[in-house]
Amino acid sequence: MMLLEMAVAGYGDRVAFVDAEAQQSITYQGLFDAASNAANDLRTSEASRFAILDVSNLAIPIGLFASSWAGMPYVPISYRLTDDEIDGLVERVKPAYLVTDEDHIEHFHTESIVRWHSRSEFLDLARNGSANGAEPWSMDGDDTAALLFTSGTTGAPKAAVLRQRHLVSYILGSVDFMSADTSETALICVPPYHVAGIAAVLSSVYSGRRAVQLANFTPQAWIELARAEEVTTAFVVPTMLRRIVEELEHEHHAQMPHLQSLSYGGGKMPLPVIERAMTLFPDTDFTNAYGLTETSSTITVLGPDDHRRAAASEDRAGRRRLASVGVPLPGIQIEIRDDEGHVLGPHEHGEIYVRGEQVSGEYEGIGRLTDDEGWFPTRDGGFLDDEGYLFLEGRADDVIVRGGENMSPGEIEDVMLTHNAVGDVAIVGVPDEEWGEAVVGVVVLKHDATVESLQQWVRDRMRSSRVPERLEFWDELPYNETGKLLRREVRARLTESMAGNA
């Protein structure tokens, strides 16, 4: 609420958010007044959590600030889940105040919900109330700001606890107040239940940037909206950027001279995709942002100058830095550790640990997973180079162990993606009696190629132990809604396929 209060004092009459689909907008003063009205309704509800199940629209920023004003955790829930999964999450946050779209509202007349509103009802009470002022909001940094259910691929999702000080620390460390002028427009297309969705709202508010919301991403819709609204900045996950690049495949230029900056993150970016994107958007500043739900979004950044230097480098190591996620933000420390917890040196592969004020590392019902010195184990694998640039290698438990040799699937995938027939690829390890694990994979082809030719491509560029013993061709790879490859699903399907052919 402090961030919004500063925004209202600095530029209250500016347009804050635009719902592109509904063609509705709200100013910063309007957002403040709507949050006040909604906070009053939350306080009278006897709920302990504010839950929202919806796509991006004006109810998202209003709900985010209203819940903080009312001292109630904000709980965005994925609309992509099944009804049973949604019911299970709502049960975990009861008693809840729920806002959802008209299609879902009839489903939620349950004891878990003490007050519920459709999106239109919530917007009406928030925007058309008296705005006489709610009780003062708390300034305790340890208050819970948000509960975000992590997108795990196995077991029940964990509820990550982000406190007020974590989110505010991230904004103060990464965004300059009132840094945007009135011509700047952000395009928000990441799901509102993802930490990047919350970060996008807070970043736009603190900078004073007008934000246009895209409810449902398709590459065509993104391109059309970016051009129509003359968007100056946007954030996408790697799969979104890949699809945008594919949509523009037959064009020499994206025709978006207004797009000043494009940030991406949320997963590993294939080198050919970012290289092609930089060709299509030659006047755009690219930034790779790596972060986790548990770290309140971004912890490392590969900035525009890093992108240009790497792209122009004739040195292989220098060019490869384009595939890194950059260096830590101010106030963030990164270490790479082995299985015994020993800190590793440059180019030694292990698990990424992070420490900093914005790092939560806490889960509801579980507690904090940080150690006594504040270090959080990310479960992501990677390494640092000689200058402190961080390279991701997937989840730590995705490392393939073949004959006692540890190998990163990401390294093999990067090599295969340089083949002009490969559109997408996933490499995994499956159980093998002789070697412990066998290297196998799935390829999505852009045009015809043989398994043998792809195996030879890897053999010519890497050690023979890294050549996939088996490759299958699929129409597409499984990703979750935030662009992360569902590697466990690939592994399970390949294991089953190989067993059936044994």
Side-chain angles (χ1 to χ4, degrees):
M1 279 305 303
M2 178 190 73
L3 304 180
L4 179 57
E5 186 179 41
M6 292 174 66
V8 171
Y11 34 83
D13 59 347
R14 285 191 190 181
V15 172
F17 293 89
V18 177
D19 180 341
E21 186 173 300
Q23 297 185 324
Q24 297 176 333
S25 65
I26 192 168
T27 65
Y28 282 100
Q29 183 65 60
L31 177 58
F32 186 89
D33 294 340
S36 174
N37 292 328
N40 281 329
D41 198 52
L42 264 64
R43 280 196 168 121
T44 63
S45 68
E46 299 183 355
S48 63
R49 315 285 174 81
F50 173 82
I52 189 160
L53 174 73
D54 208 350
V55 297
S56 287
N57 62 80
L58 298 186
I60 298 297
I62 293 172
L64 176 61
F65 287 105
S67 59
S68 277
W69 197 328
M72 192 178 295
Y74 174 77
V75 188
I77 295 174
S78 171
Y79 47 83
R80 299 181 187 276
L81 299 174
T82 66
D83 287 347
D84 287 343
E85 289 171 327
I86 291 171
D87 287 344
L89 297 186
V90 170
E91 182 69 18
R92 287 172 57 181
V93 298
K94 68 179 185 181
Y97 181 117
L98 177 75
V99 174
T100 188
D101 62 277
E102 278 71 8
D103 292 337
H104 282 97
I105 194 67
E106 292 300 324
H107 178 75
F108 288 108
H109 291 189
T110 69
E111 294 181 359
S112 299
I113 311 298
V114 298
R115 186 170 297 176
W116 54 87
H117 291 294
S118 67
R119 178 199 309 166
S120 58
E121 291 171 343
F122 179 72
L123 288 173
D124 183 60
L125 75 86
R127 303 196 70 181
N128 298 319
S130 61
N132 290 327
E135 296 178 21
W137 57 81
S138 169
M139 290 295 289
D140 187 346
D142 280 326
D143 288 345
T144 300
L147 294 175
L148 296 183
F149 289 103
T150 58
S151 55
T153 54
T154 59
K158 298 191 293 291
V161 178
L162 299 183
R163 301 189 181 275
Q164 294 282 344
R165 59 184 173 86
H166 297 133
L167 290 168
V168 172
S169 174
Y170 165 66
I171 296 299
L172 297 183
S174 61
V175 182
D176 290 330
F177 177 63
M178 208 172 174
S179 55
D181 62 38
T182 54
S183 66
E184 294 189 39
T185 298
L187 197 165
I188 298 179
C189 62
V190 289
Y193 51 83
H194 191 275
V195 68
I198 292 179
V201 169
L202 298 180
S203 297
S204 293
V205 166
Y206 196 60
S207 65
R209 191 176 288 115
R210 173 178 176 266
V212 177
Q213 298 169 305
L214 176 62
N216 295 291
F217 172 84
T218 66
Q220 300 96 326
W222 190 94
I223 293 167
E224 290 171 6
L225 188 59
R227 288 171 173 167
E229 296 286 344
E230 295 190 346
V231 165
T232 58
T233 186
F235 176 88
V236 292
V237 299
T239 50
M240 289 178 179
L241 186 57
R242 177 173 59 83
R243 293 179 64 192
I244 292 167
V245 166
E246 289 172 352
E247 185 68 19
L248 297 168
E249 183 177 2
H250 300 298
E251 300 188 30
H252 298 295
H253 195 290
Q255 304 300 324
M256 295 186 203
H258 46 78
L259 187 63
Q260 300 170 10
S261 62
L262 184 59
S263 301
Y264 59 93
K268 191 172 183 294
M269 174 62 73
L271 188 59
V273 173
I274 187 59
E275 288 178 330
R276 176 60 175 150
M278 292 179 71
T279 300
L280 287 167
F281 298 86
D283 302 318
T284 299
D285 287 341
F286 283 85
T287 297
N288 189 355
Y290 164 62
L292 302 93
T293 301
E294 297 87 346
T295 63
S296 310
S297 195
T298 305
I299 54 176
T300 70
V301 165
L302 185 76
D305 289 342
D306 292 318
H307 277 76
R308 293 190 187 96
R309 280 193 296 267
S313 176
E314 296 181 3
D315 173 69
R316 182 179 179 184
R319 191 169 185 82
R320 186 164 184 261
R321 190 165 284 166
L322 194 57
S324 82
V325 292
V327 297
L329 288 175
I332 292 292
Q333 295 173 278
I334 299 285
E335 286 185 350
I336 308 298
R337 300 184 184 180
D338 63 17
D339 292 341
E340 284 73 44
H342 300 130
V343 179
L344 301 175
H347 299 284
E348 293 185 305
H349 301 246
E351 183 178 354
I352 301 166
Y353 279 67
V354 59
R355 179 169 68 177
E357 180 63 25
Q358 71 185 63
V359 177
S360 165
E362 179 183 359
Y363 303 98
E364 188 174 52
I366 298 174
R368 293 179 65 86
L369 296 190
T370 52
D371 64 20
D372 293 339
E373 296 181 342
W375 290 99
F376 174 67
T378 67
R379 299 304 302 152
D380 282 338
F383 67 92
L384 294 165
D385 71 8
D386 295 318
E387 295 184 40
Y389 284 79
L390 179 65
F391 290 76
L392 298 183
E393 296 181 314
R395 300 298 285 173
D397 52 6
D398 288 333
V399 171
I400 302 169
V401 184
R402 180 185 184 276
E405 180 185 6
N406 289 2
M407 56 187 72
S408 164
E411 288 183 312
I412 306 171
E413 290 164 355
D414 285 345
V415 168
M416 295 191 68
L417 282 166
T418 61
H419 193 289
N420 60 15
V422 177
D424 205 357
V425 59
I427 298 295
V428 297
V430 299
D432 181 81
E433 289 185 7
E434 181 179 1
W435 296 103
E437 283 190 301
V439 180
V440 299
V442 176
V443 176
V444 177
L445 290 175
K446 292 192 287 188
H447 56 77
D448 288 345
T450 64
V451 169
E452 293 75 19
S453 67
L454 297 178
Q455 288 172 325
Q456 189 61 47
W457 184 266
V458 177
R459 186 175 291 109
D460 291 343
R461 290 159 178 80
M462 305 186 80
R463 281 180 282 177
S464 60
S465 61
R466 283 160 169 72
V467 176
E469 297 178 26
R470 177 187 176 93
L471 289 172
E472 291 188 3
F473 298 131
W474 293 359
D475 291 335
E476 61 181 4
L477 297 181
Y479 289 91
N480 70 9
E481 65 278 2
T482 56
K484 288 187 179 355
L485 174 67
L486 299 178
R487 206 176 289 274
R488 289 185 179 86
E489 184 175 324
V490 173
R491 185 183 296 113
R493 288 173 60 182
L494 281 172
T495 302
E496 182 180 354
S497 172
M498 292 171 69
N501 293 328

